[in-house]
Amino acid sequence: MNNTEQQLFLHFYNSLAPAVQRDIKHYLFVYDMYLDEQDPKARETLLGEMNMLERKYNLEVTHGGNKNNQR
């Protein structure tokens, strides 16, 4: 991400409500844990946490694999 893109993102991010900023930070934290986790049960729990936030903000995200094989 170049400096201009970073500045645009920070401007956008800072314009969001504090609750939305917290949700973004939480989502990124959980996603980072999901990427590092090896235990399938723990990955499923983390994926569920991400899915809750995705539904809250009406996001469509696939986590690996082919989108047609999801859900």
Side-chain angles (χ1 to χ4, degrees):
M1 185 181 307
N2 68 38
N3 196 31
T4 303
E5 289 172 335
Q6 190 172 22
Q7 288 173 335
L8 286 172
F9 175 78
L10 286 175
H11 179 70
F12 166 73
Y13 180 81
N14 290 330
S15 71
L16 298 172
V20 176
Q21 291 179 3
R22 278 191 303 276
D23 283 346
I24 290 171
K25 287 179 185 176
H26 181 69
Y27 184 88
L28 294 174
F29 175 76
V30 172
Y31 183 67
D32 190 44
M33 288 176 47
Y34 171 81
L35 292 176
D36 292 338
E37 185 58 58
Q38 299 298 316
D39 178 38
K41 295 270 186 195
R43 284 179 63 90
E44 185 177 326
T45 300
L46 294 168
L47 189 59
E49 182 76 20
M50 291 187 299
N51 285 336
M52 279 190 338
L53 288 166
E54 291 161 5
R55 281 191 301 274
K56 180 178 180 178
Y57 293 101
N58 198 28
L59 301 174
E60 184 176 326
V61 180
T62 58
H63 301 284
N66 185 331
K67 182 177 177 180
N68 294 329
N69 293 336
Q70 299 284 320
R71 298 179 194 177

